[in-house]
Amino acid sequence: MAVDKQQTTVTLEYYSWMAKELKGVGERGTTDRLSIDQGTTVRELLARLAAQSPKFAELVYDRDGERLKEYAALILNGQTIELAGGLDRALEPGDALLLLPGFSGGA
């Protein structure tokens, strides 16, 4: 007997030039509400979005390397993805993802 996975939603906010390039909106950004199956990981969601959008694959997620591109930063519930459990962290109902251009420290 097959068991149906329960659906839930998470949000993904796009800002700066990422919003402009990926969503065709101004740099102030936009937010998408995304349906996911229970137990979906961040990596699985990113792979799905990259499969749906060649531009997302080009700018955000390397499907072959299964990693974020170096000029993309992902925040999950206020923490960088690395501090929030990494790409293999299972998403939970109401999780908030924020996609920003990559950033680095200076001298």
Side-chain angles (χ1 to χ4, degrees):
M1 173 186 249
V3 176
D4 290 332
K5 288 189 174 185
Q6 289 185 332
Q7 288 270 305
T8 189
T9 60
V10 297
T11 58
L12 176 56
E13 296 180 68
Y14 299 81
Y15 282 102
S16 190
W17 62 265
M18 292 267 187
K20 185 177 176 186
E21 291 293 321
L22 295 169
K23 304 305 286 184
V25 299
E27 291 191 2
R28 294 181 115 183
T30 189
T31 302
D32 285 348
R33 185 168 301 278
L34 303 169
S35 293
I36 59 167
D37 290 331
Q38 185 176 349
T40 297
T41 65
V42 174
R43 185 183 313 275
E44 290 167 341
L45 176 61
L46 294 175
R48 182 181 98 190
L49 295 172
Q52 293 171 348
S53 167
K55 197 74 163 173
F56 194 94
E58 175 188 339
L59 297 175
V60 178
Y61 188 71
D62 176 359
R63 291 173 62 197
D64 293 331
E66 296 184 331
R67 63 177 183 81
L68 282 172
K69 301 277 184 137
E70 57 275 359
Y71 36 82
L74 189 63
I75 310 296
L76 175 61
N77 298 330
Q79 294 185 309
T80 62
I81 194 60
E82 296 81 10
L83 295 176
L87 295 180
D88 292 318
R89 180 192 181 278
L91 292 164
E92 298 175 12
D95 275 350
L97 294 152
L98 171 61
L99 184 60
L100 299 167
F103 48 89
S104 62

